[in-house]
Amino acid sequence: MPVEHPTPTGRARELVAGGYDAHVHVAPDVMARRIDDVSLARRFAAVGLAGFVLKSHYVPTAERAEVVRGVVPGVEALGALTLNGSVGGLNPVAVEIAGRQGARVVWLPTVDAANERAGRAALPPGAAAPMWAALQDELAAQGIVAPAIAVLDDAGRVVPALHDVFAVIAKHDMVLATGHLSGPEIVAVVDAAAGAGVRRIIVTHPEFTSQQLDVDTQRRLAGRGALLERCFTTAYTKKVSWELLFEHIRAAGPEHSLLSSDLGQPFNPPVEDGLALLADRLLGAGFSDDEIRTMAVVNSRRLLRP
């Protein structure tokens, strides 16, 4: 039987209209996805959303994004790159090529991050495992899994290759996203990136199982100019409670938060509903229209538009 998902209210749709979803996982991909990128662009147009960032853990997406923009004018599909083993890890050449192709976001390691590898068994009871976990296990069983990627050396300093990556990101004015690093890694990386001239920084889902950043750390990162990403799926799939998510937003300040969906999994709600569903949850928790619009629209446009 088809799974029934919640439906956003009209009020929530209006509040997020004109916003970008900075984190979606759609087809074509190496694993099953709910929808393809062209179809998603058409659905975004239908609900009044401005665009989305195509995230893959394994391949660059700037070329795909350019094709989608040509097919569906008026919706800005944006390309990205994630610095996992499949693109050479902390590889400034990959970042330079992506930048020349118009990629907007560069994620630091996710599935191949040393922190993520160490925390794979830490899912809370009842939480849904991420889809990429099965693929990582298959690669490991075949003996072709990439080495874990460290961003700090033994003395806690950012490794030289990452400084090279920051220089390219700053040159192309791309967005740096912190991926699946640990709290101490994120603090060191954000400080170093800001010092290297990177102007646009996202702290990737700070409530996620392998991040779990405390409020003081989130405030510190916000003070460095980073936006704290609040993903719909993190709470929807029970990796964290809704109450804790809302507590963190209030404590760090909505002006320092960015709403995204992290949707695209076949078993989760439609991708184009993600921002509005998150807005409905926030409305129910007492957040104001202005606060929600700041997180969903103002901050996403400021971050992702040139």
Side-chain angles (χ1 to χ4, degrees):
M1 293 180 61
V3 177
E4 290 191 12
H5 297 295
T7 302
T9 64
R11 180 183 176 189
R13 290 271 196 217
E14 291 176 4
L15 285 176
V16 302
Y20 289 77
D21 191 337
H23 191 154
V24 306
H25 296 276
V26 296
D29 200 356
V30 70
M31 60 196 77
R33 294 302 183 190
R34 182 182 180 95
I35 191 171
D36 67 83
D37 44 20
V38 172
S39 298
L40 181 63
R42 291 176 174 142
R43 292 192 182 184
F44 265 51
V47 299
L49 291 168
F52 50 85
V53 179
L54 290 165
K55 182 176 183 183
S56 168
H57 290 293
Y58 298 98
V59 298
T61 63
E63 290 182 352
R64 281 173 55 193
E66 185 174 351
V67 171
V68 175
R69 292 194 302 271
V71 174
V72 189
V75 172
E76 200 169 11
L78 299 172
L81 176 71
T82 306
L83 298 180
N84 286 317
S86 57
V87 300
L90 304 179
N91 181 0
V93 176
V95 179
E96 174 66 22
I97 297 303
R100 292 184 183 210
Q101 291 181 310
R104 198 76 195 100
V105 179
V106 177
W107 270 275
L108 293 182
T110 57
V111 299
D112 292 328
N115 174 63
E116 184 60 62
R117 295 279 182 87
R120 277 283 304 278
L123 279 176
M131 290 185 68
W132 48 260
L135 176 56
Q136 289 295 103
D137 289 343
E138 289 177 23
L139 293 174
Q142 295 174 46
I144 57 173
V145 68
I149 300 169
V151 297
L152 304 181
D153 63 20
D154 292 340
R157 296 168 301 203
V158 171
V159 298
L162 195 47
H163 286 291
D164 295 338
V165 165
F166 292 157
V168 180
I169 291 173
K171 180 179 74 171
H172 291 285
D173 196 23
M174 292 189 283
V175 179
L176 172 70
T178 57
H180 291 200
L181 306 184
S182 69
E185 289 173 326
I186 292 170
V187 169
V189 161
V190 169
D191 283 346
V198 177
R199 299 192 309 116
R200 307 167 193 259
I201 302 175
I202 302 173
V203 177
T204 307
H205 44 48
E207 287 76 33
F208 194 77
T209 311
S210 52
Q211 280 67 69
Q212 299 186 56
L213 301 187
D214 60 51
V215 167
D216 287 342
T217 301
Q218 293 192 29
R219 286 173 172 155
R220 174 176 174 178
L221 294 165
R224 290 295 271 159
L227 284 175
L228 302 154
E229 181 190 34
R230 315 300 183 178
C231 289
F232 171 76
T233 58
T234 307
Y236 187 78
T237 59
K238 300 181 180 178
K239 294 179 179 66
V240 68
S241 70
W242 288 106
E243 292 74 20
L244 184 63
L245 182 67
F246 301 149
E247 178 186 323
H248 284 182
I249 294 172
R250 290 191 176 98
E255 68 275 18
H256 299 300
S257 290
L258 171 74
L259 303 187
S260 68
S261 75
D262 199 3
L263 281 171
Q265 306 79 16
F267 46 82
N268 276 334
V271 181
E272 68 274 14
D273 289 351
L275 293 182
L277 288 172
L278 185 47
D280 271 326
R281 291 279 189 168
L282 290 160
L283 287 169
F287 286 87
S288 71
D289 288 11
D290 285 346
E291 289 172 330
I292 294 169
R293 190 152 183 84
T294 293
M295 293 186 280
V297 182
V298 175
N299 285 349
S300 71
R301 294 175 75 87
R302 174 170 61 86
L303 185 79
L304 295 171
R305 301 184 81 179

